[in-house]
Amino acid sequence: SIKMDLLHSNGVLIIQHLQRDYRAYQDFLNFMSHVGDPRNIFSIYFPLWFQLNQVVGTKMIWVAVIGDWFNLIFKWILFGHRPYWWVQETMIYPNQSSPCLEQFPITCETGPGSPSGHAMGSSCVWYVMVTAALSYTVRWKDKSAVTLHRLTWSFLWSIFWIIQITVCISRVFIATHFPHQVILGVFAGILVAEAFEHTPAIQTASLRMYIKTNLFLFIFALGFYLVLKLLDIDLLWSVPKAKKWCANPDWINIDTTPFAGLVRNLGALFGLGLGINSEMFITSCKGKNSCKISFRILCIAASLATLQLYNFVKIPTHTEYLFYILSFCKSAAMPLTVVALVPYCVHSLMRTTEKKLN
């Protein structure tokens, strides 16, 4: 406990230094915090990659969902505090002179703080993207191509680490994580992504396999929560702390609670399984149009545009269970739209156009 308090107090000093000396970069750091948001995986990264390479897109969803699930379990085990409430409750500062940490609209996360979900989500999805891009260049055999591969390797991994470091700094800057929490998140995300580099079975998974995986993840998490609750250990202990110490009650969002993230991810995985095993996917993405560049570009544009419309769908938060059900449905609809609905519509449009031209 003393060592952890020392780690936290040193982290507070780093946060104060960032908030004092990097004030000019506030807007940029807030933006990078949004870049690391795991929800961007489903609304931006996945639509782009799935239409370019279905293997990479499928792996991206699996990595994001399993990674976030492990993040939830780790958070429940580690009981990590967040800086913005820890400084208000710790007894290590004399005469109650706790440091003043500035809060922002995205500071008031309600779940435990360790490891960082943003850092973990960002590192795992960017690891998948970088390794996928390098898999094309590693096949080059002639001498000049090998040199180009090495340069590409250095460039892409440099970009990877620049993004991860910037996301980590942004999460520390807004006082929602301590430095050790974001570092742990980055390396945990890399481990999850690397594990899926050696799991080819996900590419041929049936809908039954997707449903079984969803049930396992949900039952394990719920069972873990209930068992510890019977032992009088409250895994939602962080929620009242967030509500108590958040500078603005409007910044508290039910979407940041532990179970909200679990439901969102299970919905996304179910939607992917439903889409990949649908007739619409087989007809459009496995047909003759799937190899055409125009088909893929249209699918990317239509997918991104359609998914932005989902942002306007506001789920009511007055009833918690209703929120979880609707959140699951909304999350399932997003990959289903990208995988099946949009490609099928584009395929039908192109087929109709070809018939008219003939």
Side-chain angles (χ1 to χ4, degrees):
S1 177
I2 296 176
K3 289 182 178 179
M4 188 57 67
D5 283 341
L6 181 61
L7 190 63
H8 285 160
S9 61
N10 288 333
V12 168
L13 292 176
I14 294 174
I15 296 171
Q16 287 182 304
H17 168 70
L18 290 174
Q19 291 188 343
R20 181 182 64 250
D21 298 340
Y22 288 78
R23 175 65 55 193
Y25 304 101
Q26 175 181 327
D27 291 339
F28 172 72
L29 291 173
N30 284 334
F31 169 75
M32 289 305 299
S33 187
H34 284 295
V35 168
D37 193 330
R39 284 169 288 196
N40 289 331
I41 298 171
F42 308 117
S43 61
I44 299 176
Y45 303 136
F46 170 66
L48 284 170
W49 273 96
F50 187 83
Q51 307 302 347
L52 295 174
N53 188 315
Q54 293 167 12
V55 172
V56 178
T58 301
K59 186 193 299 182
M60 188 176 291
I61 291 290
W62 277 89
V63 166
V65 170
I66 301 301
D68 211 45
W69 183 82
F70 272 116
N71 183 262
L72 173 65
I73 301 301
F74 288 153
K75 282 178 189 261
W76 279 348
I77 293 173
L78 297 177
F79 285 82
H81 289 275
R82 293 186 185 270
Y84 76 92
W85 75 56
W86 181 83
V87 295
Q88 304 291 342
E89 297 187 345
T90 182
M91 303 300 293
I92 70 169
Y93 296 107
N95 303 321
Q96 303 297 317
S97 57
S98 58
C100 180
L101 299 182
E102 185 175 354
Q103 297 183 24
F104 303 87
I106 55 176
T107 295
C108 299
E109 299 272 355
T110 57
S114 186
S116 166
H118 280 63
M120 192 168 174
S122 175
S123 65
C124 73
V125 72
W126 279 94
Y127 188 93
V128 170
M129 290 192 287
V130 169
T131 53
L134 289 175
S135 67
Y136 290 102
T137 61
V138 75
R139 303 168 190 167
W140 299 340
K141 299 298 182 182
D142 57 272
K143 187 174 181 179
S144 61
V146 170
T147 303
L148 182 59
H149 167 71
R150 290 174 179 171
L151 291 173
T152 305
W153 187 95
S154 300
F155 174 74
L156 289 179
W157 283 117
S158 297
I159 293 296
F160 171 86
W161 284 111
I162 289 172
I163 291 174
Q164 304 321 311
I165 291 170
T166 310
V167 169
C168 289
I169 291 174
S170 73
R171 300 301 289 171
V172 174
F173 173 84
I174 63 175
T176 200
H177 284 295
F178 291 103
H180 69 278
Q181 295 173 343
V182 293
I183 294 171
L184 179 59
V186 168
F187 287 103
I190 292 174
L191 287 175
V192 171
E194 178 59 28
F196 275 89
E197 292 293 317
H198 310 284
T199 315
I202 60 174
Q203 302 298 334
T204 56
S206 63
L207 180 58
R208 179 175 293 184
M209 183 62 186
Y210 277 91
I211 293 174
K212 286 182 177 178
T213 303
N214 257 13
L215 288 174
F216 171 79
L217 297 178
F218 178 74
I219 292 172
F220 186 96
L222 182 62
F224 188 73
Y225 170 79
L226 292 176
V227 167
L228 290 184
K229 191 172 184 178
L230 289 174
L231 297 175
D232 203 28
I233 300 175
D234 183 17
L235 293 180
L236 300 181
W237 60 273
S238 60
V239 177
K241 289 182 180 293
K243 293 179 177 178
K244 180 179 181 180
W245 296 115
C246 185
N248 187 338
D250 293 335
W251 295 346
I252 297 289
N253 192 339
I254 190 175
D255 200 32
T256 66
T257 58
F259 278 111
L262 175 65
V263 169
R264 183 172 59 247
N265 286 303
L266 294 182
L269 188 62
F270 176 72
L272 176 66
L274 198 61
I276 283 181
N277 291 280
S278 68
E279 285 297 324
M280 287 189 291
F281 171 76
I282 295 172
T283 301
S284 55
C285 294
K286 296 296 183 180
K288 62 178 183 179
N289 283 330
S290 62
C291 298
K292 296 179 180 179
I293 298 298
S294 57
F295 173 79
R296 297 188 178 188
I297 292 175
L298 284 172
C299 285
I300 290 173
S303 296
L304 290 173
T306 305
L307 291 185
Q308 298 315 306
L309 297 177
Y310 283 100
N311 295 329
F312 295 100
V313 179
K314 301 301 180 183
I315 300 176
T317 59
H318 58 277
T319 304
E320 192 170 356
Y321 291 113
L322 177 62
F323 171 83
Y324 290 145
I325 293 172
L326 294 178
S327 180
F328 178 90
C329 294
K330 179 181 177 180
S331 298
M334 294 176 74
L336 182 61
T337 299
V338 174
V339 172
L341 296 178
V342 166
Y344 184 76
C345 291
V346 173
H347 169 77
S348 300
L349 179 63
M350 292 181 69
R351 188 174 58 180
T352 303
T353 304
E354 288 173 358
K355 286 182 178 179
K356 289 181 178 179
L357 292 174
N358 292 333

